[in-house]
DNA sequence: GCAAATTTGTTCGTATGTATT
DNA sequence: CAATACATACGAACAAATTTG
């Protein structure tokens, strides 16, 4: 099937990885050795490695070598109803911490947030259903798991809440009880629902730097836009927007609806093999 | 910031795209002209184009040229509670059709399904909570929007339901009322909840062929594992697994929880620009 | 329907730069 | 500092896909 030379070499290397000859974490032969082994030019070998890199099977590090990737995905539950309703009342920060704890992951967040006033634009204005140019407060938080960057969370709140007395929104430190609970206590703004909008795209420069993703754009990020809706005489009204960005190669998401047994699901390990065609077929 | 030549060229081309000088759908200069324009070698030009391709900004077609990509993402609602409870009772097929209709998309499915007996293995056995090697029925359906491949849906049902009388599971044609409703009518198996598990990965060969994705693995697919749970004295018990695969560059997903105003959300168009840093900052 | 022209895809060779050990 | 390994860049040739005449 693979007609071109670099494809043939790539498929052969993939087979060697999947057969266990090259286990996760192990180092490939260097490029010169691969040149000798396959009798191809160095450019062709590099093209084959690029094919494997695009599939997250290997990873090259300058000065060191090329290594078989070991993946250990983190699973995050997006649904709010997994336990009483932490997600609806506490905010996703708290929920994420509790889930991480239940999964035995060392999670932490930067104690300092980036807090900036902005004019609402584009998506922000559109999802919050406010005029472009309206004042909003941006609050950005970095989260880490095992000291490695895990998520970048950016929240937007209409500026009017500060004017109305929710002055903690300006503070650069975390709001203890969660912003949703705080806004309810302070202003009586009650969240009655939310919408998650999930998008996969290439990281921008900031994201690539923060997550230490290769700058060639081959590893995507998953972006979750969560719009919170508050009770209002005119019907559910958007009052907050939280955008979470995660590297797509190491993160999975779960949504529970109705009754589903245990609330926390395990990561799905996909057969790197694409062999799934005939193995399980009853003939 | 971009030190290497190909990065500089790529960023310049990106700027020309985002400024509107090269609108969506338009054709770039050919490689030779870019060589002349930037005074770089053809290989370097091609590497710059690859950088843009990885970000889904452009697309090259052999014999024709390189074109600015026009994206028109499809949004799918995953939550079941968006209208009475079609998702819980009717099955996602029906729900998807109704959503497509509401969005004015021409959606159709192959009238013929692939139906095969299998032995449960790996993820399938694990999510259905059955022994590896247990018999299951695989039902696979292809869906199209505007005559272009949109999703690949593969469902697994324990073989025992056929033995118990749900013989339609063997049929290669669609089950009118939806499988969930059929199993309820026929056997009294009632779905009380489901779990969606979302994963992003590179397409396998079959998927790349079906979706006509480039074989270099740069465009990922989004995979949604939906495990349906049935009422049971021992608690919620998995009774079906539906795996939907979608190309990641043209699909977005929405989950509604609680009350959220309109049920259908519009696609999010991300500023291809990564300029979002200072524009909206109040100084 | 065929041949020519155009355009991207693959492959080789070679040289130099940069990061890590 | 030296050795090693990947990254970038140049030049060249032929192959494959598509459009055009």
């Amino acid at each position: 099937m693979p007609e071109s030379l670099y494809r043939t070499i790539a498929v052969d290397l993939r087979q060697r990885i999947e057969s266990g000859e090259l286990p996760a974490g192990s180092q490939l032969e260097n490029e010169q050795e691969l040149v000798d082994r396959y009798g191809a030019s160095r450019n062709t070998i590099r093209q084959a490695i690029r094919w494997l890199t695009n599939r997250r099977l290997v990873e090259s590090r300058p000065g060191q070598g090329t290594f078989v990737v070991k993946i250990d995905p983190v699973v995050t539950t997006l649904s709010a109803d997994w336990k009483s309703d932490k997600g609806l009342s506490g905010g996703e920060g708290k929920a994420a911490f509790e889930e991480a704890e239940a999964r035995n992951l060392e999670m932490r967040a930067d104690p300092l947030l980036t807090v900036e006033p902005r004019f609402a634009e584009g998506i922000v204005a559109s999802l919050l259903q406010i005029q472009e140019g309206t004042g909003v407060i941006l609050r950005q938080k970095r989260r880490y798991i095992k000291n490695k960057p895990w998520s970048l969370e950016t929240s937007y709140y209409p500026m009017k809440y500060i004017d109305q007395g929710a002055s903690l929104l300006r503070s650069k430190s975390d709001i203890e009880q969660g912003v949703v609970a705080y806004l309810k206590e302070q202003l009586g703004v009650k969240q009655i629902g939310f919408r998650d909008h999930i998008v996969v795209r290439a990281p921008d420069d900031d994201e690539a730097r923060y997550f230490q993703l290769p700058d060639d754009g081959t590893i995507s990020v998953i972006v979750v836009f969560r719009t919170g809706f508050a009770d209002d005489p005119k019907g559910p009204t958007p009052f907050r927007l939280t955008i979470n960005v995660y590297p797509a190669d190491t993160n999975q998401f779960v949504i529970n609806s109705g009754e589903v047994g245990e609330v926390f699901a395990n990561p799905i390990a996909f057969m790197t093999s694409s062999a799934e065609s005939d193995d399980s077929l009853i003939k």
Side-chain angles (χ1 to χ4, degrees), chain A:
Chain A
M1 190 70 35
E3 55 290 343
S4 52
L5 180 53
Y6 81 90
R7 274 274 255 150
T8 310
I9 295 171
V11 168
D12 182 69
L13 282 168
R14 180 177 70 177
Q15 190 276 324
R16 289 173 63 201
I17 291 169
E18 286 166 2
S19 74
E21 181 188 334
L22 299 168
S26 67
Q27 183 167 8
L28 260 66
E29 296 103 311
N30 69 36
E31 294 179 349
Q32 186 52 53
E33 286 168 329
L34 291 171
V35 164
D36 299 339
R37 179 187 192 108
Y38 291 105
S41 75
R42 180 154 172 250
N43 279 338
T44 301
I45 294 296
R46 282 178 60 74
Q47 199 170 355
I49 289 176
R50 186 162 52 234
W51 191 89
L52 296 169
T53 305
N54 286 342
R55 272 148 238 272
R56 308 288 308 121
L57 292 174
V58 303
E59 178 175 279
S60 294
R61 297 195 278 270
Q64 299 186 43
T66 300
F67 301 83
V68 179
V69 165
K70 182 175 184 144
I71 33 158
D72 195 7
V74 175
V75 181
T76 302
T77 303
L78 290 180
S79 40
D81 48 19
W82 54 271
K83 204 188 205 180
S84 60
D85 53 358
K86 294 276 188 349
L88 279 174
S89 61
E92 35 284 335
K94 212 167 191 172
F97 270 106
E98 291 184 25
E99 178 163 14
E101 197 175 316
R103 291 184 188 282
N104 246 325
L105 299 171
E106 300 160 31
M107 174 165 159
R108 65 175 181 84
D110 268 351
L112 282 178
L113 284 64
T114 303
V115 179
E116 284 170 0
R118 294 282 177 111
F119 296 121
E121 278 191 335
I123 306 164
V124 175
S126 145
L127 289 180
L128 284 176
Q129 295 174 27
I130 56 181
Q131 286 289 320
E132 299 236 346
T134 309
V136 291
I137 283 282
L138 173 156
R139 295 175 62 84
Q140 189 174 68
K141 179 184 280 192
R142 290 167 231 280
R143 290 212 177 75
Y144 303 81
I145 285 184
K146 292 179 186 164
N147 277 324
K148 288 191 302 195
W150 171 59
S151 83
L152 194 55
E153 178 179 296
T154 310
S155 297
Y156 296 89
Y157 304 89
M159 196 73 81
K160 67 174 181 192
Y161 291 133
I162 292 193
D163 306 335
Q164 291 169 11
S167 54
L168 271 188
L169 283 182
R170 249 191 326 235
S171 110
K172 281 191 191 298
S173 55
D174 212 0
I175 295 179
E176 182 63 31
Q177 70 272 48
V179 177
V180 177
Y182 171 70
L183 285 178
K184 188 175 173 188
E185 289 164 20
Q186 206 67 20
L187 306 176
V189 175
K190 189 174 142 213
Q191 176 163 291
I192 56 172
F194 58 79
R195 166 180 295 148
D196 284 336
H197 198 126
I198 302 177
V199 171
V200 176
R201 59 163 171 78
D204 65 27
D205 292 341
D206 288 341
E207 291 158 353
R209 197 168 335 122
Y210 170 62
F211 291 118
Q212 298 175 296
L213 301 177
D215 60 4
D216 57 5
T218 46
I219 302 186
S220 300
V221 289
I222 301 173
V223 188
V224 182
F225 297 82
R226 173 165 292 186
T227 311
F229 290 81
D231 205 5
D232 190 283
K234 295 187 295 289
T237 307
F239 77 110
R240 60 189 295 256
L241 169 63
T242 298
I243 304 172
N244 266 287
V245 180
Y246 313 83
D249 60 335
T250 51
N251 282 282
Q252 303 179 359
F253 297 89
V254 164
I255 301 116
N256 298 319
S257 300
E259 300 176 45
V260 295
E262 324 102 46
V263 280
F264 293 137
N266 293 319
I268 287 184
F270 19 78
M271 54 268 146
T272 20
S273 90
S274 162
E276 36 123 349
S277 341
D278 279 344
D279 287 2
S280 62
L281 181 59
I282 301 179
K283 280 162 194 152

